[in-house]
Amino acid sequence: MKQIVALATLFLLFAAQALAQEDDQICVTALQQSDLGEFNEAAEGLENCLASVELTPEQEVMIYAELGSVRMAMEDYAGALQAFAFTFAIAETQGAQISHPMIYRNRGISLGQTGELERALGDLLQAYSMLGDDPLTLVNLGWTYGQLERHEDAVVIYDRLVRTEPEWSGAWLNRSAAFLDLGMVSEAVSDARRAVEIDPEDGSTLNMLCWTLIQDGRAETALPLCRQAAELEPESGHVIHSLATALEATGSNRRARRLFAQAYEMEPEDPEIIADYERTHRP
């Protein structure tokens, strides 16, 4: 399951302070742009703020942390980690505090996206201890456990996510995927059904139910769902792969073979798609 990454603006506290210098408006405007989701403009403004405004160590920590979070939202994870490195370095050398749990959360997300999973886990657990059942923390913590193949721990976290956000289909999809990783197929099907009930016109939810039914040996039942998912998400290699798997299981081998090749063109690095492509296209 693809990780869900979103930004909650961290530090409008800074904008609320009475700042003395005329150039402080650069910082305030950049924070407001971050709050509005204008991330390119916010990143440029925050960098200008850091370059041109005399800040206290506490303010500098907060601006670097906000810059890291903006870079994270832009999916520039290397840039985010660079900003977070300044955040923690200034705090350590200047005696400023890292008190906001979202700093740990957002650095943890960025670390996970760059493959530093153990460090990501440490940050996300720190955020979890401070934020509790924050959905963004939960979904990324569960995802990180899954990447570390700690699937039982992932299910525990996704249990909390389901209770926290019961009307969000993504909560059920994530737990369904974790159940599949544990071989708990019936539970995975049940969660995927719940996701479809919540979001019946979404290709990802339909594909998950399709896939879990295939794993449960019910390809005939899965096939109409797989077709519907492919109509909604024709550019998704994973959705096309699910449809190909259902077709093969129901005897439509020629069409399945063609779709396995199509899925491989779309997702040439996915191990499961590679294996099925090579299996069905041997000379």
Side-chain angles (χ1 to χ4, degrees):
M1 186 62 54
K2 191 179 188 298
Q3 182 191 24
I4 300 167
V5 177
L7 176 70
T9 298
L10 299 185
F11 307 120
L12 284 175
L13 289 173
F14 181 83
Q17 294 175 357
L19 299 173
Q21 300 180 40
E22 183 178 343
D23 286 344
D24 291 340
Q25 187 58 42
I26 297 171
C27 309
V28 173
T29 299
L31 288 164
Q32 291 169 340
Q33 289 169 329
S34 176
D35 191 40
L36 293 170
E38 299 170 357
F39 298 129
N40 288 323
E41 296 84 352
E44 183 178 353
L46 291 167
E47 288 171 350
N48 288 338
C49 168
L50 288 162
S52 62
V53 178
E54 186 174 346
L55 303 169
T56 68
E58 288 78 12
Q59 291 169 342
E60 199 170 8
V61 162
M62 299 299 262
I63 293 295
Y64 268 117
E66 185 71 11
L67 178 59
S69 298
V70 167
R71 291 291 183 195
M72 182 197 77
M74 296 167 66
E75 299 186 6
D76 175 12
Y77 300 112
L81 289 175
Q82 184 178 43
F84 287 128
F86 279 110
T87 301
F88 283 84
I90 292 165
E92 183 177 348
T93 58
Q94 300 296 320
Q97 287 191 329
I98 303 290
S99 58
H100 205 298
M102 282 192 257
I103 298 175
Y104 291 99
R105 185 196 69 187
N106 291 355
R107 188 176 70 167
I109 293 170
S110 300
L111 286 165
Q113 289 296 301
T114 55
E116 297 189 58
L117 295 171
E118 292 291 350
R119 288 185 64 202
L121 181 61
D123 271 3
L124 290 167
L125 286 172
Q126 176 74 8
Y128 181 47
S129 72
M130 301 166 76
L131 285 168
D133 292 338
D134 166 60
L136 188 54
T137 302
L138 291 173
V139 75
N140 282 282
L141 181 54
W143 179 86
T144 302
Y145 275 135
Q147 295 299 300
L148 291 168
E149 299 188 2
R150 293 175 57 174
H151 303 303
E152 295 89 349
D153 291 320
V155 166
V156 170
I157 293 299
Y158 289 139
D159 281 342
R160 298 194 69 88
L161 182 62
V162 163
R163 289 195 293 272
T164 302
E165 295 287 339
E167 298 306 315
W168 178 45
S169 62
W172 300 91
L173 289 178
N174 278 286
R175 194 172 70 170
S176 179
F179 278 140
L180 272 186
D181 288 331
L182 286 173
M184 300 171 66
V185 179
S186 295
E187 291 83 354
V189 171
S190 179
D191 274 10
R193 284 195 189 281
R194 179 65 184 128
V196 171
E197 288 172 5
I198 294 169
D199 206 350
E201 300 299 323
D202 181 77
S204 296
T205 60
L206 290 164
N207 182 62
M208 179 58 81
L209 182 54
C210 151
W211 185 251
T212 56
L213 286 167
I214 292 169
Q215 304 311 303
D216 202 34
R218 291 186 274 170
E220 289 282 359
T221 304
L223 187 54
L225 295 162
C226 302
R227 293 187 193 278
Q228 189 178 355
E231 289 173 2
L232 291 166
E233 300 282 351
E235 303 303 318
S236 169
H238 293 100
V239 171
I240 299 303
H241 176 260
S242 297
L243 176 56
T245 304
L247 287 166
E248 184 180 44
T250 55
S252 298
N253 293 329
R254 181 175 296 179
R255 179 142 190 254
R257 186 175 186 272
R258 185 168 68 253
L259 289 179
F260 279 131
Q262 184 179 335
Y264 176 69
E265 290 177 5
M266 295 174 173
E267 298 285 347
E269 297 181 2
D270 182 276
E272 194 163 25
I273 291 175
I274 292 170
D276 280 332
Y277 171 73
E278 291 179 346
R279 175 178 59 80
T280 55
H281 286 75
R282 288 173 183 158

